[in-house]
């Protein structure tokens, strides 16, 4: 009997170990080697099906042409440095914490300011057959025009899992790219985003300037510094906390498994007066 109990406990421990999950995280390389004109690296490869994330940096009044792959939609999140983007013969000022979607513009030119280095994430989302159908139902202004916004100019919202001290903004509403929405969370410690689950969506976090918080997912936890990207394990109960006098400031990126899952966004109470 004792031997059987020991064996059962061992097997149980083995099962728990096998199912224990980590929180995948990768730090962005913001300190480039001298004389590096351009840098590109894939981030968290194969973490989310149909989503590719690359960290790209360009320096010193260098300019590059960039385009979206056929069958994909592309999002640019500019996190550090200054410059400008030329799209459809129009110039868009780039400062830290700016988002841009080229939409139907096939090619854009990205240029850094003099003696500066521009760091950004290029996020490519593969469109499904259903996505292509849904795009036809979206407002034309959302899909035909370049979408450009500085994070601080975006609409704020509140949410039950966050304290009144938290500033949350929607930087990319849904109905621009099928099954995708993005926003920011900003507060000073001590504070936290309460535990919650959303099995209907995959989620990435991008740590912004001065972010120094901790992310929890089920039994796992990981330090979450500035300029890092992490993947919340699908369906996990997760939370974010920040200690006294430290800063929590990050982008959440929601990739819904299907359009029905976007009902989750109704938990965001939008401040229409903002």
């Amino acid at each position: 009997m004792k031997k059987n109990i020991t064996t059962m406990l061992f097997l149980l421990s083995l099962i728990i170990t096998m199912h224990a999950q980590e929180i995948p995280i990768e730090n962005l390389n913001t300190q480039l080697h001298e004389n590096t004109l351009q840098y590109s690296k894939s981030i968290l490869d194969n973490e989310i099906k149909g989503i590719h994330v690359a960290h790209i940096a360009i320096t010193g009044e260098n300019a590059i042409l960039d385009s979206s792959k056929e069958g994909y939609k592309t999002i640019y999140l500019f996190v550090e440095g200054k410059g400008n983007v030329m799209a459809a013969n129009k110039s868009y000022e780039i400062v830290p914490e700016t988002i841009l979607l080229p939409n139907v513009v096939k090619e854009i030119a990205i240029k850094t300011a003099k003696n500066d280095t521009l760091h950004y994430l290029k996020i490519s989302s593969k469109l499904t057959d259903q996505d292509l159908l849904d795009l036809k139902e979206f407002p034309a202004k959302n899909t035909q025009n370049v979408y450009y916004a500085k994070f601080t100019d975006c609409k704020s919202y509140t949410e039950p899992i966050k304290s009144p001290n938290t500033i949350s903004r929607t930087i990319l509403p849904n109905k621009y790219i099928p099954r995708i929405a993005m926003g920011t969370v900003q507060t000073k410690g001590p504070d936290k985003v309460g535990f919650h689950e959303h099995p209907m969506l995959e989620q990435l976090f991008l740590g912004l300037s001065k972010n120094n918080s901790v992310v929890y997912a089920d039994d796992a936890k990981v330090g979450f510094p500035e300029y890092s990207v992490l993947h919340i394990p699908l369906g996990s109960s997760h939370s974010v906390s920040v200690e006294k006098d430290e800063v929590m400031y990050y982008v959440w990126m929601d990739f819904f498994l299907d359009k029905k899952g976007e009902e989750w966004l109704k938990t965001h109470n939008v401040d229409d007066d903002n």
Side-chain angles (χ1 to χ4, degrees), residues 8-266:
M8 288 174 63
L9 289 173
F10 173 75
L11 291 173
L12 181 61
S13 174
L14 185 61
I15 290 170
I16 292 172
T17 300
M18 289 173 63
H19 286 82
Q21 56 188 354
E22 296 181 347
I23 303 171
I25 186 169
E26 193 162 343
N27 295 317
L28 305 184
N29 177 18
T30 56
Q31 302 297 321
L32 302 182
H33 292 300
E34 192 174 354
N35 299 323
T36 300
L37 296 179
Q38 185 177 345
Y39 169 90
S40 179
K41 184 180 185 297
S42 293
I43 300 295
L44 297 180
D45 271 343
N46 303 315
E47 281 292 325
I48 301 176
K49 184 179 179 181
I51 301 297
H52 179 260
V53 181
H55 167 215
I56 301 172
I58 53 177
T59 64
E61 288 191 287
N62 189 24
I64 63 170
L65 295 177
D66 205 350
S67 59
S68 300
K69 290 171 61 176
E70 191 68 31
Y72 285 77
K73 283 289 188 178
T74 305
I75 303 163
Y76 296 87
L77 297 179
F78 296 92
V79 296
E80 193 175 53
K82 296 180 180 181
N84 72 285
V85 169
M86 287 294 299
N89 299 316
K90 185 176 178 179
S91 179
Y92 297 87
E93 179 192 20
I94 299 302
V95 296
E97 300 164 16
T98 299
I99 182 171
L100 187 141
L101 278 61
N103 281 326
V104 296
V105 177
K106 297 298 183 184
E107 189 174 67
I108 64 174
I110 305 172
K111 185 177 181 180
T112 59
K114 187 176 181 180
N115 299 322
D116 207 347
T117 301
L118 197 59
H119 290 270
Y120 60 93
L121 292 188
K122 179 182 178 181
I123 302 159
S124 302
S125 173
K126 187 174 183 179
L127 298 172
T128 65
D129 291 342
Q130 184 60 51
D131 291 339
L132 293 170
L133 292 174
D134 292 340
L135 270 172
K136 296 177 182 178
E137 303 299 321
F138 287 2
K141 65 183 178 64
N142 290 6
T143 60
Q144 301 301 304
N145 301 333
V146 172
Y147 175 76
Y148 159 84
K150 297 173 183 177
F151 294 179
T152 52
D153 292 338
C154 294
K155 243 180 199 180
S156 63
Y157 69 91
T158 59
E159 201 175 3
I161 56 174
K162 297 170 185 171
S163 80
N165 299 325
T166 306
I167 300 171
S168 298
R169 299 185 186 278
T170 302
I171 63 172
L172 177 62
N174 60 333
K175 309 305 180 189
Y176 280 80
I177 297 179
R179 300 181 295 107
I180 296 180
M182 296 183 181
T184 59
V185 178
Q186 185 175 17
T187 188
K188 190 173 182 180
D191 207 344
K192 66 179 180 179
V193 177
F195 277 97
H196 58 288
E197 302 173 10
H198 37 58
M200 75 295 290
L201 65 95
E202 292 275 20
Q203 192 171 59
L204 296 178
F205 286 175
L206 163 65
L208 295 173
S209 175
K210 299 181 181 178
N211 178 63
N212 184 23
S213 50
V214 178
V215 174
Y216 303 83
D218 294 334
D219 294 328
K221 74 173 184 177
V222 67
F224 182 32
E226 65 176 355
Y227 307 129
S228 62
V229 180
L230 62 79
H231 178 206
I232 299 295
L234 180 63
S236 64
S237 178
H238 58 281
S239 172
V240 189
S241 70
V242 61
E243 296 296 326
K244 183 179 179 181
D245 297 330
E246 296 292 344
V247 171
M248 177 194 298
Y249 189 29
Y250 64 92
V251 176
W252 54 262
M253 311 176 214
D254 287 356
F255 304 97
F256 295 90
L257 303 183
D258 56 44
K259 63 179 179 180
K260 184 180 178 182
E262 294 177 47
E263 293 290 314
W264 167 262
L265 295 172
K266 291 182 179 178

